[in-house]
Amino acid sequence: MADLLRYMSNTQLENAKFIYNYFKGQGWTSESITGMLGNIHAESGVVADLDERGGGGGYGIVQWTPKSKLVDWANARNLNHRALLTQCKRIQWELENNIQFYATKAHPMTFREFTRSKRDPAYLAIVFLHNYERPYDYNQPHRSDYALSWFNLLVTRGGSTSGGSSGNTTSNNNTNNNATTYTVKAGDTLSGIAKKFNTTVAKLQALNNIKNADKISVGQVLKLKDSTTTSNSSSGSSTGNSSSNTYTVKSGDTLFNIAKKFNTTVAKLQALNNIKNADKLSVGQVLKLKESTTTSSTSNTYTVKAGDTLSGIAAKYNTTVAKLQSLNNIKNVDKISIGQVLKLK
C-alpha cells in the first residue's frame, strides 16, 4: 500500500500531514481523516490550488463544484481561497452546518457520525465518496487503497508529526525489543512510543484500551506486548497473536484495532463473525480470527447470504473487490443479492 504514495512530492506529503493534524484538532478520528484523505488524493492529489483537470469546474482539495462555492465563502470571511487552511476550515464549516455530506441509503451515516467513526479507513473512504463527493461513477475502489496508505503512513508509522533522525537507533534496539512496559514521560506521544519500540499505534491502543491516541498521561504505564506473546517466548513461539483462532473483546476494543493486532482486516472479521456494523462490539464477545477450514481458498463459487458485502467476501476468499466485480460483471459494489452465486476464480 505504501507504494501508492511513492510519487507524492514533499509538498503533497506535508499537505496531507497538515490536513491530518488540523482535523485531529477538531476531534475527528484518524480513520475518518484518512478515509477523507483517500478521496482528497483521488480528487486533487492533495493540492489546494488546483482547478479540475479537463475543465469540469471543480476546485481545491475536494474539488468544490462550482469553484465559486468555495471562493464566495472565503471572500465573505476575508480568507484566501487558495490556502490549504481555508479549505480545511470550509470542510469543518460544512460539518458544523450540516451541508454537503448527506446520509444515503447505501451508507446511512451522517457527517458527524463519519467524523467520530473508528471503522476501517477503506470503508470510510467509500462512505465519503457516496455521501460527500457523489460522483457520476461510484466504482472507485482505489480511493480505499489510498485511504489505507495514508493511515499506514500517518498513524501506524506515526508520520503525522515531525520526528528526529532515525539513523541512530541500533544502540537501543535490544532494550526496546525486550521491554514489556513503558512509563509515559513529558512530551511523549503514542506514535513516538510506537516507533521507539518497533510497534504500532493501533497495537498500543488495543493493548492498553486507549480510545483516543492523543490522550496519554505522564506516569501512565503502557503495555508494549501481549501477555500471550511473552508467556510463549520460552517455548520459542513469537507469534502468539497470529496463532490464535479466537479473541475475546475487552473494554475499549475496536474491530479495527483487533484486526491490526492479529494481522487481518475489518472486512474479514466481519465476514467470519457475521458483523454488520463494525462499530458495535460487546465486551466478552468471542470473535473468530481465522476460517475453521481451508475450503474457502479452494472454492470456485460463493452464494451470497444476508449481511454479506463484496468487500467482506473478497477478504474471506483472499481476493479483491475489483476481481470479483470483473468475474461477475458487477458494476455497483453495493448491489449484490441474497442467493446470488459469485464466481471466485
Side-chain angles (χ1 to χ4, degrees), residues 54-172:
Y59 178 81
I61 55 175
V62 292
Q63 292 292 283
W64 283 278
T65 306
K67 179 178 180 178
S68 58
K69 185 185 292 186
L70 170 67
V71 174
D72 292 348
W73 178 88
N75 288 343
R77 292 159 177 78
N78 294 317
L79 298 172
N80 177 7
H81 72 271
R82 296 181 177 86
L84 183 57
L85 176 58
T86 296
Q87 296 184 20
C88 288
K89 286 182 176 180
R90 165 71 192 199
I91 294 171
Q92 185 66 21
W93 178 83
E94 291 169 343
L95 164 65
E96 293 166 357
N97 289 273
N98 198 29
I99 62 171
Q100 185 62 36
F101 189 109
Y102 303 108
T104 58
K105 186 175 180 181
H107 302 286
M109 184 183 288
T110 67
F111 206 168
R112 184 70 62 185
E113 288 169 341
F114 172 85
T115 65
R116 298 292 186 265
S117 180
K118 298 285 288 181
R119 296 189 68 172
D120 187 341
Y123 170 75
L124 293 177
I126 298 302
V127 173
F128 196 86
L129 173 70
H130 281 249
N131 296 7
Y132 183 98
E133 294 289 356
R134 300 188 294 280
Y136 175 76
D137 178 15
Y138 285 97
N139 183 24
Q140 300 189 45
H142 59 282
R143 297 191 184 219
S144 292
D145 294 335
Y146 291 151
L148 288 173
S149 293
W150 285 115
F151 187 90
N152 287 337
L153 175 65
L154 299 174
V155 183
T156 305
R157 289 158 53 190
S160 61
T161 55
S162 58
S165 169
S166 58
N168 298 320
T169 59
T170 54
S171 62
N172 290 326

Side-chain angles (χ1 to χ4, degrees), residues 180 203 207 223-248 250 261-262 289:
T180 57
K203 192 164 185 179
L207 284 170
K223 295 179 186 175
L224 301 174
K225 297 179 181 180
D226 197 292
S227 57
T228 57
T229 303
T230 55
S231 65
N232 288 334
S233 60
S234 60
S235 61
S237 172
S238 60
T239 57
N241 290 348
S242 61
S243 63
S244 302
N245 291 319
T246 62
Y247 175 78
T248 303
K250 300 177 180 66
K261 185 176 181 180
F262 291 97
L289 301 174

